[in-house]
Amino acid sequence: MHARQGMYAFVVQKYINYCVNGDYNGGKFESKEVYKELPDGGRVYAYYYNQEESAGIDNPTFNTKAIRFNVKYYTVMNFIVNKDGIITNCNYMRFH
């Protein structure tokens, strides 16, 4: 059981956007990279990526200095597919 790593962030973000909009539910999904086989014959496919972004305050107020720091986060995306290969659910979570 291994999640697929190394997908480009924009690809996983596209999957997340479609997932949130419900565009994938009822669609067919097929891949040889199964993360987990479910007892009812369904499968879970997992994808993840990590990314680092710069954040902070560039316009200081109240006599404070500008602050910049890096935020590293990980995103995990799962497709739950029934035994016929139809997507029944998709989930994602972002960890900081």
Side-chain angles (χ1 to χ4, degrees):
M1 292 192 313
H2 297 289
R4 182 175 176 193
Q5 179 188 15
M7 291 186 74
Y8 293 111
F10 73 90
V11 174
V12 177
Q13 188 60 51
K14 181 179 78 169
Y15 286 173
I16 289 169
N17 293 345
Y18 288 156
C19 173
V20 170
N21 293 336
D23 295 339
Y24 280 143
N25 289 343
K28 191 93 166 154
F29 188 82
E30 196 171 316
S31 174
K32 295 181 189 270
E33 299 173 334
V34 177
Y35 175 71
K36 184 178 182 181
E37 296 281 345
L38 301 175
D40 65 356
R43 297 172 302 282
V44 176
Y45 297 93
Y47 302 95
Y48 70 96
Y49 71 91
N50 54 23
Q51 189 169 347
E52 191 171 302
E53 290 187 8
S54 179
I57 302 169
D58 291 327
N59 187 5
T61 57
F62 303 111
N63 296 325
T64 60
K65 296 180 186 177
I67 300 170
R68 300 299 303 166
F69 52 91
N70 290 334
V71 177
K72 187 179 280 191
Y73 64 89
Y74 301 89
T75 302
V76 178
M77 173 80 191
N78 290 333
F79 287 109
I80 294 88
V81 178
N82 68 13
K83 64 182 178 190
D84 299 322
I86 304 298
I87 297 172
T88 58
N89 197 2
C90 56
N91 302 306
Y92 81 96
M93 184 170 279
R94 189 164 283 149
F95 303 92
H96 296 274

